[in-house]
Amino acid sequence: MSKVFITCALPYANGPTHLGHLRSTYIPADIYARYNRMKGREVLFVCATDEHGTPIAVKAEKEGKKPKEIAGRYYQMIKNDLESCNISFDNFARTTDPLHYQISQNFFLKLYQDGFIYAKTIKQPYCDECNRFLPDRYVEGVCPYCGGEGARGDHCEVCGRHLDPIQLQDPSCLICQSTPEIRDSKQYFFRLSHFQNEIESWLNENDALPPNVKNYVSQWIKEGLNDWILTRDMEWGIPVPLDETEGKIIYVWLEALLGYITSAALWAHRNNKSWKKYWDDKAIHFIGKDIIYHHSIFWPALLMAYGCKLPYTIIAGDYLSLEGRKMSTSKNWVIWTSDFLETFESDTLRYYLMANAPLTRDTDFSWDDFQRRINDELADVVGNFLHRTFTFTNRFYQGQVPEAFQMDNYDQEMVDKIKKLPIVVGEYIENFKFREGLVEIIKLAKQGNKYFNDKEPWKTVKSDPEIASTSLYICNQLCKTLSIVLNPYLPVKSLEIIAVLNIEEKLEWDSANSFIPSGHKILPAEPIFSKIEDKVIRMQKETLYQNQKEVDTVKEIISIEDFAKIDLRVGNIIGAEKVKDSDNLLKLIVDVKDKKLQVVAGLAKNYSPEDILNQKVIILVNLKPAKLFGIKSEGMILATKDTLNVLSAEGAAVGEKIK
Ligand SMILES: [Zn+2]
Ligand SMILES: [Zn+2]
């Protein structure tokens, strides 16, 4: 029997899951896993929480807790989220499991002994106050590429570039804010460059890899692969298993990838089986597109170095936006899984997220569209077809699947379509085209409704009972086929339909189109799919916008002492000119009575120099001077952020303090 090893990207244990995670990774992987089980294949479907790394360590430090405590809290939340969506993992582990430490250290050691990992001394930021090195997110500063503020030691959010901590300009320690010094530190590197050609041919020759993965990676291959730093100087993590490496840990990305293996190994121990057979048959990674690089370059190179079989393919789901805007957890522009499930059934989410776009395209979650699809497609098409068939069968045939008599062409056409449905849908799922499979299902349910209408069994049941009986026989068969092919997509609803059909067979894909015999007793049925009312959607929208507003208005509470540090004065603009080569900036001279300040202000889109001259404005006078476009700026003029309206102080005296 063939085996399939399926993984989902490891959720990072510093927050719960939201709809974007489910859409890109967990729901598609689960559909694939369930389908393969129904095909009679042996499936090993695993995941784990990723619990090391600096974000968790920093959060723990700020909350005065142990990192493992923070990770444990979110492990539980994430596990609950995924279980509530019926993601059918065979094992869901943690990267803080002792076995994971063992597996990661052994892996590191083997690569070191085989010469794929080597030591090199490099420069690293070191905080004298905190008495330690500052890896990754422990240091913040200005991005050397785009000038973006608040760039982290490993990444700039503004331009999206990967950074080295010592590249940051104006760096400061995230914990104590002091300026770090640069010190030498011995780190360990993986010879990624050695695998350049092998990775390139693996990517080019592997037809199973989807185009979005290949395209993304080819640019990096062209640039050339650099050796990859695999260790960090910090406490929270898996210790480097070499002599004289105290205080060094294995970089979180290396061991997180090995989390797939740990989770499988834990399952294997428990069930007394071998996970490796699954891996060697066919391994498939489901991930979000933001981590294509790690899975299609680092991971295969590490596996090559270790001497393992490479994964069969990598399926990368695209992003989900929310009401047309990019999701943002910090701005609370997000729908958390647990919040969603307080009001709606998980199958409605699984349906909507798979139906509204192919996995390899960015798509949007909108409350109105969600309501429309659930009502028009699930309730009105599938639900209606099931309900009228079940009700009619119960009412006119004592709940027994009626007999089939002579079939006309129309009947035969329906029978053929039912027979074909599992084959068509199955092929789509095999090729990771989850939406296309679902569309076929809905299409046939729609045709089922038309068939029911055209056959008018409510008339023929009296005028021509053989016609009514044959058509209801066929409708019941379609209900049965739908109940099986919907199972990977809507596992809960599928079982509800199966319960009404009163069939006890196993969930087997290949018998989805075998017919129920006439005379089989079905059970009385309540509607299986219900509509979502307008007021429910209205409330969800209100909550979403309300949460957003709260974030907008309340930033952080500051003390009166903090406020007192702000020196605001009334100033008169006595000089104004455009900054050369800039559409936004004006260079202003502001008289604040005891001195004149030069200010560069981003107001040119709303004010010409003539407009603003001689206006009385409010100006922050004790701002640290900065250079913009090479021009010194010594203050800040208060204006509204989006509409760029300068706050006026007309009627006040120049130099007057504001409190
Ligand atoms: Zn940047
Ligand atoms: Zn510090």
Side-chain angles (χ1 to χ4, degrees), residues 53-70 73 127 130-135 137-138 173-176 234-236:
T54 49
I56 288 172
V58 169
K59 194 172 207 155
E61 224 155 307
K62 286 187 169 165
E63 291 186 23
K65 297 211 165 77
K66 291 218 160 65
K68 192 161 178 187
E69 214 178 309
I70 303 281
R73 186 205 302 163
C127 178
C130 300
N131 208 4
R132 68 171 172 204
F133 282 102
L134 302 176
R137 299 197 176 194
Y138 272 105
C173 168
L174 192 72
I175 301 297
C176 74
M234 64 185 277
E235 259 176 49
W236 179 235

PDB file of all heavy atoms in Angstrom, residues 53-70 73 127 130-135 137-138 173-176 234-236:
ATOM      1  N   GLY A  53      13.544  30.614  19.235  1.00  0.00           N
ATOM      2  CA  GLY A  53      13.691  31.866  18.480  1.00  0.00           C
ATOM      3  C   GLY A  53      13.504  33.098  19.341  1.00  0.00           C
ATOM      4  O   GLY A  53      12.953  33.040  20.447  1.00  0.00           O
ATOM      5  N   THR A  54      13.965  34.229  18.801  1.00  0.00           N
ATOM      6  CA  THR A  54      13.981  35.453  19.611  1.00  0.00           C
ATOM      7  C   THR A  54      12.609  36.056  19.917  1.00  0.00           C
ATOM      8  O   THR A  54      12.446  36.600  20.998  1.00  0.00           O
ATOM      9  CB  THR A  54      14.889  36.532  18.996  1.00  0.00           C
ATOM     10  OG1 THR A  54      14.571  36.665  17.622  1.00  0.00           O
ATOM     11  CG2 THR A  54      16.342  36.175  19.154  1.00  0.00           C
ATOM     12  N   PRO A  55      11.600  36.001  19.008  1.00  0.00           N
ATOM     13  CA  PRO A  55      10.333  36.655  19.390  1.00  0.00           C
ATOM     14  C   PRO A  55       9.745  36.102  20.690  1.00  0.00           C
ATOM     15  O   PRO A  55       9.257  36.865  21.522  1.00  0.00           O
ATOM     16  CB  PRO A  55       9.426  36.384  18.189  1.00  0.00           C
ATOM     17  CG  PRO A  55      10.358  36.238  17.044  1.00  0.00           C
ATOM     18  CD  PRO A  55      11.566  35.548  17.621  1.00  0.00           C
ATOM     19  N   ILE A  56       9.815  34.787  20.869  1.00  0.00           N
ATOM     20  CA  ILE A  56       9.287  34.200  22.109  1.00  0.00           C
ATOM     21  C   ILE A  56      10.176  34.583  23.296  1.00  0.00           C
ATOM     22  O   ILE A  56       9.689  34.939  24.372  1.00  0.00           O
ATOM     23  CB  ILE A  56       9.150  32.665  21.979  1.00  0.00           C
ATOM     24  CG1 ILE A  56       7.981  32.326  21.042  1.00  0.00           C
ATOM     25  CG2 ILE A  56       8.961  32.003  23.350  1.00  0.00           C
ATOM     26  CD1 ILE A  56       7.855  30.870  20.671  1.00  0.00           C
ATOM     27  N   ALA A  57      11.503  34.549  23.067  1.00  0.00           N
ATOM     28  CA  ALA A  57      12.420  34.906  24.157  1.00  0.00           C
ATOM     29  C   ALA A  57      12.215  36.356  24.592  1.00  0.00           C
ATOM     30  O   ALA A  57      12.193  36.667  25.789  1.00  0.00           O
ATOM     31  CB  ALA A  57      13.868  34.690  23.700  1.00  0.00           C
ATOM     32  N   VAL A  58      12.014  37.259  23.621  1.00  0.00           N
ATOM     33  CA  VAL A  58      11.818  38.675  23.943  1.00  0.00           C
ATOM     34  C   VAL A  58      10.485  38.872  24.679  1.00  0.00           C
ATOM     35  O   VAL A  58      10.411  39.584  25.685  1.00  0.00           O
ATOM     36  CB  VAL A  58      11.858  39.536  22.655  1.00  0.00           C
ATOM     37  CG1 VAL A  58      11.404  40.955  22.927  1.00  0.00           C
ATOM     38  CG2 VAL A  58      13.265  39.536  22.063  1.00  0.00           C
ATOM     39  N   LYS A  59       9.453  38.202  24.179  1.00  0.00           N
ATOM     40  CA  LYS A  59       8.143  38.318  24.813  1.00  0.00           C
ATOM     41  C   LYS A  59       8.205  37.831  26.267  1.00  0.00           C
ATOM     42  O   LYS A  59       7.653  38.466  27.171  1.00  0.00           O
ATOM     43  CB  LYS A  59       7.133  37.469  24.028  1.00  0.00           C
ATOM     44  CG  LYS A  59       5.690  37.759  24.354  1.00  0.00           C
ATOM     45  CD  LYS A  59       4.790  37.009  23.372  1.00  0.00           C
ATOM     46  CE  LYS A  59       3.484  37.730  23.202  1.00  0.00           C
ATOM     47  NZ  LYS A  59       2.826  37.457  21.953  1.00  0.00           N
ATOM     48  N   ALA A  60       8.918  36.730  26.479  1.00  0.00           N
ATOM     49  CA  ALA A  60       9.048  36.173  27.821  1.00  0.00           C
ATOM     50  C   ALA A  60       9.762  37.165  28.731  1.00  0.00           C
ATOM     51  O   ALA A  60       9.348  37.404  29.871  1.00  0.00           O
ATOM     52  CB  ALA A  60       9.811  34.853  27.762  1.00  0.00           C
ATOM     53  N   GLU A  61      10.815  37.760  28.215  1.00  0.00           N
ATOM     54  CA  GLU A  61      11.586  38.719  29.001  1.00  0.00           C
ATOM     55  C   GLU A  61      10.724  39.921  29.389  1.00  0.00           C
ATOM     56  O   GLU A  61      10.773  40.397  30.513  1.00  0.00           O
ATOM     57  CB  GLU A  61      12.789  39.169  28.180  1.00  0.00           C
ATOM     58  CG  GLU A  61      14.044  39.199  28.994  1.00  0.00           C
ATOM     59  CD  GLU A  61      15.293  39.052  28.134  1.00  0.00           C
ATOM     60  OE1 GLU A  61      15.392  38.102  27.342  1.00  0.00           O
ATOM     61  OE2 GLU A  61      16.160  39.904  28.282  1.00  0.00           O
ATOM     62  N   LYS A  62       9.914  40.380  28.430  1.00  0.00           N
ATOM     63  CA  LYS A  62       9.055  41.535  28.698  1.00  0.00           C
ATOM     64  C   LYS A  62       7.957  41.207  29.698  1.00  0.00           C
ATOM     65  O   LYS A  62       7.535  42.070  30.467  1.00  0.00           O
ATOM     66  CB  LYS A  62       8.457  42.057  27.394  1.00  0.00           C
ATOM     67  CG  LYS A  62       9.497  42.802  26.562  1.00  0.00           C
ATOM     68  CD  LYS A  62       8.912  43.476  25.354  1.00  0.00           C
ATOM     69  CE  LYS A  62       9.966  44.412  24.736  1.00  0.00           C
ATOM     70  NZ  LYS A  62       9.594  44.812  23.386  1.00  0.00           N
ATOM     71  N   GLU A  63       7.469  39.973  29.672  1.00  0.00           N
ATOM     72  CA  GLU A  63       6.395  39.597  30.595  1.00  0.00           C
ATOM     73  C   GLU A  63       6.932  39.004  31.894  1.00  0.00           C
ATOM     74  O   GLU A  63       6.155  38.621  32.771  1.00  0.00           O
ATOM     75  CB  GLU A  63       5.447  38.585  29.929  1.00  0.00           C
ATOM     76  CG  GLU A  63       4.632  39.184  28.811  1.00  0.00           C
ATOM     77  CD  GLU A  63       3.591  38.203  28.258  1.00  0.00           C
ATOM     78  OE1 GLU A  63       3.199  37.256  28.970  1.00  0.00           O
ATOM     79  OE2 GLU A  63       3.184  38.403  27.103  1.00  0.00           O
ATOM     80  N   GLY A  64       8.257  38.886  31.987  1.00  0.00           N
ATOM     81  CA  GLY A  64       8.860  38.311  33.183  1.00  0.00           C
ATOM     82  C   GLY A  64       8.506  36.846  33.382  1.00  0.00           C
ATOM     83  O   GLY A  64       8.328  36.372  34.503  1.00  0.00           O
ATOM     84  N   LYS A  65       8.397  36.126  32.272  1.00  0.00           N
ATOM     85  CA  LYS A  65       8.060  34.700  32.360  1.00  0.00           C
ATOM     86  C   LYS A  65       9.146  33.876  31.680  1.00  0.00           C
ATOM     87  O   LYS A  65      10.041  34.403  31.029  1.00  0.00           O
ATOM     88  CB  LYS A  65       6.729  34.448  31.662  1.00  0.00           C
ATOM     89  CG  LYS A  65       5.551  35.159  32.283  1.00  0.00           C
ATOM     90  CD  LYS A  65       4.287  34.337  32.100  1.00  0.00           C
ATOM     91  CE  LYS A  65       3.176  34.820  32.999  1.00  0.00           C
ATOM     92  NZ  LYS A  65       2.533  36.048  32.505  1.00  0.00           N
ATOM     93  N   LYS A  66       9.031  32.568  31.814  1.00  0.00           N
ATOM     94  CA  LYS A  66       9.952  31.677  31.112  1.00  0.00           C
ATOM     95  C   LYS A  66       9.456  31.492  29.675  1.00  0.00           C
ATOM     96  O   LYS A  66       8.250  31.393  29.447  1.00  0.00           O
ATOM     97  CB  LYS A  66       9.977  30.308  31.807  1.00  0.00           C
ATOM     98  CG  LYS A  66      10.631  30.344  33.174  1.00  0.00           C
ATOM     99  CD  LYS A  66      11.458  29.061  33.361  1.00  0.00           C
ATOM    100  CE  LYS A  66      12.493  29.240  34.443  1.00  0.00           C
ATOM    101  NZ  LYS A  66      11.845  29.452  35.775  1.00  0.00           N
ATOM    102  N   PRO A  67      10.395  31.444  28.708  1.00  0.00           N
ATOM    103  CA  PRO A  67       9.955  31.275  27.308  1.00  0.00           C
ATOM    104  C   PRO A  67       9.053  30.054  27.115  1.00  0.00           C
ATOM    105  O   PRO A  67       8.088  30.101  26.361  1.00  0.00           O
ATOM    106  CB  PRO A  67      11.272  31.101  26.544  1.00  0.00           C
ATOM    107  CG  PRO A  67      12.317  31.700  27.396  1.00  0.00           C
ATOM    108  CD  PRO A  67      11.863  31.570  28.818  1.00  0.00           C
ATOM    109  N   LYS A  68       9.368  28.993  27.822  1.00  0.00           N
ATOM    110  CA  LYS A  68       8.574  27.772  27.618  1.00  0.00           C
ATOM    111  C   LYS A  68       7.129  27.957  28.078  1.00  0.00           C
ATOM    112  O   LYS A  68       6.201  27.349  27.535  1.00  0.00           O
ATOM    113  CB  LYS A  68       9.223  26.586  28.336  1.00  0.00           C
ATOM    114  CG  LYS A  68       8.580  25.288  27.902  1.00  0.00           C
ATOM    115  CD  LYS A  68       9.376  24.054  28.174  1.00  0.00           C
ATOM    116  CE  LYS A  68       8.556  22.853  27.724  1.00  0.00           C
ATOM    117  NZ  LYS A  68       9.150  21.586  28.083  1.00  0.00           N
ATOM    118  N   GLU A  69       6.966  28.823  29.071  1.00  0.00           N
ATOM    119  CA  GLU A  69       5.610  29.112  29.567  1.00  0.00           C
ATOM    120  C   GLU A  69       4.801  29.848  28.488  1.00  0.00           C
ATOM    121  O   GLU A  69       3.642  29.533  28.236  1.00  0.00           O
ATOM    122  CB  GLU A  69       5.764  30.014  30.790  1.00  0.00           C
ATOM    123  CG  GLU A  69       4.743  29.815  31.873  1.00  0.00           C
ATOM    124  CD  GLU A  69       5.058  30.745  33.047  1.00  0.00           C
ATOM    125  OE1 GLU A  69       6.231  30.749  33.513  1.00  0.00           O
ATOM    126  OE2 GLU A  69       4.153  31.470  33.461  1.00  0.00           O
ATOM    127  N   ILE A  70       5.456  30.845  27.870  1.00  0.00           N
ATOM    128  CA  ILE A  70       4.804  31.593  26.781  1.00  0.00           C
ATOM    129  C   ILE A  70       4.439  30.634  25.655  1.00  0.00           C
ATOM    130  O   ILE A  70       3.302  30.615  25.167  1.00  0.00           O
ATOM    131  CB  ILE A  70       5.767  32.679  26.218  1.00  0.00           C
ATOM    132  CG1 ILE A  70       6.224  33.633  27.321  1.00  0.00           C
ATOM    133  CG2 ILE A  70       5.162  33.398  25.023  1.00  0.00           C
ATOM    134  CD1 ILE A  70       5.247  34.695  27.700  1.00  0.00           C
ATOM    135  N   ARG A  73       1.533  28.331  26.422  1.00  0.00           N
ATOM    136  CA  ARG A  73       0.233  28.989  26.365  1.00  0.00           C
ATOM    137  C   ARG A  73      -0.296  28.974  24.924  1.00  0.00           C
ATOM    138  O   ARG A  73      -1.431  28.607  24.654  1.00  0.00           O
ATOM    139  CB  ARG A  73       0.404  30.434  26.860  1.00  0.00           C
ATOM    140  CG  ARG A  73      -0.893  31.209  26.988  1.00  0.00           C
ATOM    141  CD  ARG A  73      -0.656  32.710  26.878  1.00  0.00           C
ATOM    142  NE  ARG A  73       0.271  33.247  27.869  1.00  0.00           N
ATOM    143  CZ  ARG A  73       0.868  34.445  27.749  1.00  0.00           C
ATOM    144  NH1 ARG A  73       0.633  35.210  26.699  1.00  0.00           N
ATOM    145  NH2 ARG A  73       1.708  34.875  28.658  1.00  0.00           N
ATOM    146  N   CYS A 127      25.651  43.721  23.829  1.00  0.00           N
ATOM    147  CA  CYS A 127      25.189  44.753  24.759  1.00  0.00           C
ATOM    148  C   CYS A 127      25.958  44.634  26.062  1.00  0.00           C
ATOM    149  O   CYS A 127      25.905  43.615  26.731  1.00  0.00           O
ATOM    150  CB  CYS A 127      23.690  44.630  25.022  1.00  0.00           C
ATOM    151  SG  CYS A 127      23.109  45.861  26.208  1.00  0.00           S
ATOM    152  N   CYS A 130      23.464  44.577  29.225  1.00  0.00           N
ATOM    153  CA  CYS A 130      22.809  43.284  29.436  1.00  0.00           C
ATOM    154  C   CYS A 130      23.815  42.148  29.504  1.00  0.00           C
ATOM    155  O   CYS A 130      23.473  41.021  29.824  1.00  0.00           O
ATOM    156  CB  CYS A 130      21.808  42.990  28.336  1.00  0.00           C
ATOM    157  SG  CYS A 130      20.495  44.185  28.200  1.00  0.00           S
ATOM    158  N   ASN A 131      25.067  42.478  29.118  1.00  0.00           N
ATOM    159  CA  ASN A 131      26.111  41.484  29.216  1.00  0.00           C
ATOM    160  C   ASN A 131      25.877  40.279  28.311  1.00  0.00           C
ATOM    161  O   ASN A 131      26.008  39.132  28.732  1.00  0.00           O
ATOM    162  CB  ASN A 131      26.217  41.031  30.684  1.00  0.00           C
ATOM    163  CG  ASN A 131      27.616  40.573  31.013  1.00  0.00           C
ATOM    164  OD1 ASN A 131      28.513  40.674  30.175  1.00  0.00           O
ATOM    165  ND2 ASN A 131      27.790  40.052  32.212  1.00  0.00           N
ATOM    166  N   ARG A 132      25.494  40.563  27.069  1.00  0.00           N
ATOM    167  CA  ARG A 132      25.292  39.441  26.152  1.00  0.00           C
ATOM    168  C   ARG A 132      25.266  39.908  24.698  1.00  0.00           C
ATOM    169  O   ARG A 132      25.076  41.079  24.408  1.00  0.00           O
ATOM    170  CB  ARG A 132      23.988  38.726  26.486  1.00  0.00           C
ATOM    171  CG  ARG A 132      22.786  39.593  26.189  1.00  0.00           C
ATOM    172  CD  ARG A 132      21.534  38.759  26.329  1.00  0.00           C
ATOM    173  NE  ARG A 132      20.360  39.592  26.229  1.00  0.00           N
ATOM    174  CZ  ARG A 132      19.192  39.263  26.749  1.00  0.00           C
ATOM    175  NH1 ARG A 132      19.059  38.157  27.434  1.00  0.00           N
ATOM    176  NH2 ARG A 132      18.168  40.046  26.588  1.00  0.00           N
ATOM    177  N   PHE A 133      25.419  38.923  23.798  1.00  0.00           N
ATOM    178  CA  PHE A 133      25.263  39.193  22.376  1.00  0.00           C
ATOM    179  C   PHE A 133      23.789  39.432  22.062  1.00  0.00           C
ATOM    180  O   PHE A 133      22.906  38.978  22.804  1.00  0.00           O
ATOM    181  CB  PHE A 133      25.794  38.011  21.552  1.00  0.00           C
ATOM    182  CG  PHE A 133      27.292  37.993  21.454  1.00  0.00           C
ATOM    183  CD1 PHE A 133      28.044  37.126  22.253  1.00  0.00           C
ATOM    184  CD2 PHE A 133      27.952  38.838  20.578  1.00  0.00           C
ATOM    185  CE1 PHE A 133      29.427  37.116  22.170  1.00  0.00           C
ATOM    186  CE2 PHE A 133      29.334  38.833  20.487  1.00  0.00           C
ATOM    187  CZ  PHE A 133      30.076  37.971  21.287  1.00  0.00           C
ATOM    188  N   LEU A 134      23.543  40.147  20.957  1.00  0.00           N
ATOM    189  CA  LEU A 134      22.175  40.489  20.588  1.00  0.00           C
ATOM    190  C   LEU A 134      21.815  39.871  19.225  1.00  0.00           C
ATOM    191  O   LEU A 134      21.963  40.502  18.196  1.00  0.00           O
ATOM    192  CB  LEU A 134      22.013  42.008  20.511  1.00  0.00           C
ATOM    193  CG  LEU A 134      22.338  42.787  21.783  1.00  0.00           C
ATOM    194  CD1 LEU A 134      22.216  44.286  21.524  1.00  0.00           C
ATOM    195  CD2 LEU A 134      21.416  42.376  22.933  1.00  0.00           C
ATOM    196  N   PRO A 135      21.359  38.625  19.235  1.00  0.00           N
ATOM    197  CA  PRO A 135      21.008  38.001  17.962  1.00  0.00           C
ATOM    198  C   PRO A 135      19.653  38.489  17.442  1.00  0.00           C
ATOM    199  O   PRO A 135      18.796  38.910  18.225  1.00  0.00           O
ATOM    200  CB  PRO A 135      20.945  36.508  18.296  1.00  0.00           C
ATOM    201  CG  PRO A 135      20.612  36.461  19.746  1.00  0.00           C
ATOM    202  CD  PRO A 135      21.168  37.711  20.372  1.00  0.00           C
ATOM    203  N   ARG A 137      16.276  39.509  16.673  1.00  0.00           N
ATOM    204  CA  ARG A 137      15.349  40.558  17.094  1.00  0.00           C
ATOM    205  C   ARG A 137      15.733  41.254  18.393  1.00  0.00           C
ATOM    206  O   ARG A 137      14.998  42.110  18.869  1.00  0.00           O
ATOM    207  CB  ARG A 137      13.956  39.977  17.254  1.00  0.00           C
ATOM    208  CG  ARG A 137      13.500  39.419  15.941  1.00  0.00           C
ATOM    209  CD  ARG A 137      12.044  39.210  15.902  1.00  0.00           C
ATOM    210  NE  ARG A 137      11.730  38.760  14.544  1.00  0.00           N
ATOM    211  CZ  ARG A 137      10.522  38.716  14.042  1.00  0.00           C
ATOM    212  NH1 ARG A 137       9.506  39.076  14.772  1.00  0.00           N
ATOM    213  NH2 ARG A 137      10.319  38.307  12.822  1.00  0.00           N
ATOM    214  N   TYR A 138      16.836  40.850  18.998  1.00  0.00           N
ATOM    215  CA  TYR A 138      17.256  41.541  20.210  1.00  0.00           C
ATOM    216  C   TYR A 138      17.830  42.921  19.901  1.00  0.00           C
ATOM    217  O   TYR A 138      18.084  43.708  20.786  1.00  0.00           O
ATOM    218  CB  TYR A 138      18.293  40.722  20.975  1.00  0.00           C
ATOM    219  CG  TYR A 138      17.668  39.754  21.948  1.00  0.00           C
ATOM    220  CD1 TYR A 138      17.611  38.394  21.677  1.00  0.00           C
ATOM    221  CD2 TYR A 138      17.120  40.212  23.143  1.00  0.00           C
ATOM    222  CE1 TYR A 138      17.034  37.509  22.571  1.00  0.00           C
ATOM    223  CE2 TYR A 138      16.541  39.342  24.048  1.00  0.00           C
ATOM    224  CZ  TYR A 138      16.498  37.989  23.758  1.00  0.00           C
ATOM    225  OH  TYR A 138      15.921  37.137  24.639  1.00  0.00           O
ATOM    226  N   CYS A 173      19.812  48.065  21.812  1.00  0.00           N
ATOM    227  CA  CYS A 173      19.400  46.813  22.446  1.00  0.00           C
ATOM    228  C   CYS A 173      17.907  46.883  22.743  1.00  0.00           C
ATOM    229  O   CYS A 173      17.422  47.861  23.307  1.00  0.00           O
ATOM    230  CB  CYS A 173      20.191  46.620  23.735  1.00  0.00           C
ATOM    231  SG  CYS A 173      19.553  45.319  24.799  1.00  0.00           S
ATOM    232  N   LEU A 174      17.189  45.856  22.343  1.00  0.00           N
ATOM    233  CA  LEU A 174      15.742  45.868  22.505  1.00  0.00           C
ATOM    234  C   LEU A 174      15.324  45.851  23.981  1.00  0.00           C
ATOM    235  O   LEU A 174      14.272  46.350  24.342  1.00  0.00           O
ATOM    236  CB  LEU A 174      15.139  44.653  21.789  1.00  0.00           C
ATOM    237  CG  LEU A 174      13.633  44.659  21.623  1.00  0.00           C
ATOM    238  CD1 LEU A 174      13.209  45.678  20.595  1.00  0.00           C
ATOM    239  CD2 LEU A 174      13.137  43.287  21.217  1.00  0.00           C
ATOM    240  N   ILE A 175      16.166  45.297  24.824  1.00  0.00           N
ATOM    241  CA  ILE A 175      15.801  45.165  26.235  1.00  0.00           C
ATOM    242  C   ILE A 175      16.136  46.437  27.018  1.00  0.00           C
ATOM    243  O   ILE A 175      15.327  46.939  27.777  1.00  0.00           O
ATOM    244  CB  ILE A 175      16.498  43.934  26.866  1.00  0.00           C
ATOM    245  CG1 ILE A 175      16.084  42.655  26.111  1.00  0.00           C
ATOM    246  CG2 ILE A 175      16.204  43.828  28.359  1.00  0.00           C
ATOM    247  CD1 ILE A 175      14.623  42.293  26.161  1.00  0.00           C
ATOM    248  N   CYS A 176      17.362  46.994  26.835  1.00  0.00           N
ATOM    249  CA  CYS A 176      17.760  48.122  27.677  1.00  0.00           C
ATOM    250  C   CYS A 176      17.973  49.415  26.887  1.00  0.00           C
ATOM    251  O   CYS A 176      18.317  50.446  27.461  1.00  0.00           O
ATOM    252  CB  CYS A 176      19.031  47.777  28.460  1.00  0.00           C
ATOM    253  SG  CYS A 176      20.493  47.771  27.429  1.00  0.00           S
ATOM    254  N   MET A 234      22.689  32.766  22.380  1.00  0.00           N
ATOM    255  CA  MET A 234      21.572  33.061  23.278  1.00  0.00           C
ATOM    256  C   MET A 234      21.195  31.828  24.080  1.00  0.00           C
ATOM    257  O   MET A 234      21.673  30.730  23.816  1.00  0.00           O
ATOM    258  CB  MET A 234      20.366  33.639  22.517  1.00  0.00           C
ATOM    259  CG  MET A 234      19.721  32.726  21.512  1.00  0.00           C
ATOM    260  SD  MET A 234      18.408  33.574  20.581  1.00  0.00           S
ATOM    261  CE  MET A 234      17.011  33.424  21.689  1.00  0.00           C
ATOM    262  N   GLU A 235      20.342  32.055  25.073  1.00  0.00           N
ATOM    263  CA  GLU A 235      20.021  30.973  25.991  1.00  0.00           C
ATOM    264  C   GLU A 235      18.895  30.083  25.490  1.00  0.00           C
ATOM    265  O   GLU A 235      18.936  28.874  25.620  1.00  0.00           O
ATOM    266  CB  GLU A 235      19.571  31.569  27.332  1.00  0.00           C
ATOM    267  CG  GLU A 235      20.625  31.549  28.396  1.00  0.00           C
ATOM    268  CD  GLU A 235      20.127  32.249  29.647  1.00  0.00           C
ATOM    269  OE1 GLU A 235      19.009  31.929  30.096  1.00  0.00           O
ATOM    270  OE2 GLU A 235      20.856  33.131  30.140  1.00  0.00           O
ATOM    271  N   TRP A 236      17.848  30.715  24.955  1.00  0.00           N
ATOM    272  CA  TRP A 236      16.629  29.985  24.629  1.00  0.00           C
ATOM    273  C   TRP A 236      16.790  29.261  23.298  1.00  0.00           C
ATOM    274  O   TRP A 236      16.806  29.904  22.245  1.00  0.00           O
ATOM    275  CB  TRP A 236      15.438  30.941  24.590  1.00  0.00           C
ATOM    276  CG  TRP A 236      14.134  30.285  24.240  1.00  0.00           C
ATOM    277  CD1 TRP A 236      13.301  30.651  23.230  1.00  0.00           C
ATOM    278  CD2 TRP A 236      13.520  29.181  24.897  1.00  0.00           C
ATOM    279  NE1 TRP A 236      12.208  29.835  23.217  1.00  0.00           N
ATOM    280  CE2 TRP A 236      12.319  28.914  24.232  1.00  0.00           C
ATOM    281  CE3 TRP A 236      13.890  28.361  25.978  1.00  0.00           C
ATOM    282  CZ2 TRP A 236      11.455  27.877  24.604  1.00  0.00           C
ATOM    283  CZ3 TRP A 236      13.034  27.331  26.359  1.00  0.00           C
ATOM    284  CH2 TRP A 236      11.837  27.103  25.690  1.00  0.00           C
TER     285      TRP A 236
END
